Amino acid sequence: GNSVTQMEGPVTLSEEAFLTINCTYTATGYPSLFWYVQYPGEGLQLLLKATKADDKGSNKGFEATYRKETTSFHLEKGSVQVSDSAVYFCALSDEGKLIFGQGTELSVKP
Amino acid sequence: DAGITQSPRHKVTETGTPVTLRCHQTENHRYMYWYRQDPGHGLRLIHYSYGVKDTDKGEVSDGYSVSRSKTEDFLLTLESATSSQTSVYFCAIRTSGSLEGEQFFGPGTRLTVL
């Protein structure tokens, strides 16, 4: 069946460092891909999405490119801030149902 | 703001008791979902609904039932709660008619089963 694998956390970075959170997927066909973010004590918020191969989703300085050849959707940000500290989830859409990775906790230190 | 509320936000109960969680949306979206969040597992789908009285099972449906008698409300019931059902429960809606559309999540309910 379809699945999503994320790099394990926690990831700890200093402010202004470059961020990469790896996400790979297994799927039949070409599902839409998503990144969600969960701030402490809150629900999940959609961060960005991509619906087809080579699409780049972007929002709030975060980017991810749908790579069909490597079945990947890595999340990147050029300069993280303390306020980016959160848990990040990669997900794919499987006939209307979301399949999530296990989540990666990011901690950004001043 | 997708206008999703969940109640209660926190609940502590004992093993063997029934528990019902409520998800309410302020708009008339057709698709609603219940997920549970556990460390190391991300979120996993419990049940979903594609209309009034139309529901189906997700990946981890054992021990749970759902009902949807009105478009705006989707109820999740644990008939006899067990400690393994201690989790954070999230409701979500899909606003797009496309199966590939994103979902929007409620604030969650933290359930502890003693």
Side-chain angles (χ1 to χ4, degrees):
Chain A
N2 296 348
S3 65
V4 175
T5 302
Q6 291 181 232
M7 65 185 286
E8 290 195 17
V11 174
T12 302
L13 295 174
S14 297
E15 205 165 23
E16 299 184 2
F18 185 86
L19 169 70
T20 300
I21 299 178
N22 291 336
C23 170
T24 57
Y25 66 91
T26 301
T28 53
Y30 303 104
S32 290
L33 301 174
F34 307 90
W35 277 101
Y36 283 85
V37 58
Q38 183 180 35
Y39 298 103
E42 299 184 9
L44 277 71
Q45 300 177 24
L46 178 66
L47 183 58
L48 54 84
K49 68 175 183 179
T51 58
K52 61 183 186 296
D54 300 325
D55 263 3
K56 177 185 283 189
S58 61
N59 186 25
K60 300 181 181 179
F62 291 90
E63 294 183 339
T65 301
Y66 191 140
R67 301 287 189 197
K68 182 179 65 174
E69 60 277 8
T70 54
T71 62
S72 65
F73 192 54
H74 305 321
L75 182 69
E76 297 182 335
K77 187 176 186 183
S79 176
V80 293
Q81 306 300 312
V82 172
S83 58
D84 294 326
S85 298
V87 180
Y88 293 81
F89 292 94
C90 184
L92 64 80
S93 180
D94 181 0
E95 296 186 341
K97 295 162 283 187
L98 291 180
I99 295 175
F100 287 87
Q102 72 269 38
T104 303
E105 181 180 0
L106 170 66
S107 177
V108 181
K109 305 298 184 184
Chain B
D1 183 1
I4 307 168
T5 57
Q6 293 184 231
S7 59
R9 294 292 314 278
H10 302 271
K11 185 170 183 65
V12 179
T13 191
E14 294 189 349
T15 298
T17 60
V19 176
T20 295
L21 309 182
R22 178 180 183 242
C23 176
H24 177 79
Q25 60 160 324
T26 57
E27 301 170 8
N28 292 324
H29 296 294
R30 182 179 172 194
Y31 291 89
M32 300 183 75
Y33 304 81
W34 277 107
Y35 294 87
R36 60 178 288 174
Q37 181 181 16
D38 303 290
H41 291 278
L43 278 77
R44 293 176 292 175
L45 181 65
I46 305 171
H47 281 281
Y48 65 101
S49 171
Y50 45 96
V52 173
K53 299 193 189 309
D54 292 322
T55 65
D56 206 348
K57 297 179 179 180
E59 177 189 357
V60 290
S61 60
D62 287 349
Y64 301 94
S65 63
V66 290
S67 66
R68 192 160 177 210
S69 58
K70 298 185 293 184
T71 300
E72 59 266 35
D73 289 327
F74 191 32
L75 304 181
L76 177 70
T77 297
L78 291 65
E79 301 290 348
S80 177
T82 67
S83 58
S84 64
Q85 294 176 311
T86 292
S87 187
V88 182
Y89 292 86
F90 287 100
C91 174
I93 61 173
R94 176 156 54 89
T95 59
S96 163
S98 165
L99 288 175
E100 298 300 305
E102 60 268 30
Q103 295 178 18
F104 297 92
F105 286 79
T109 294
R110 183 174 294 277
L111 176 67
T112 302
V113 183
L114 301 176

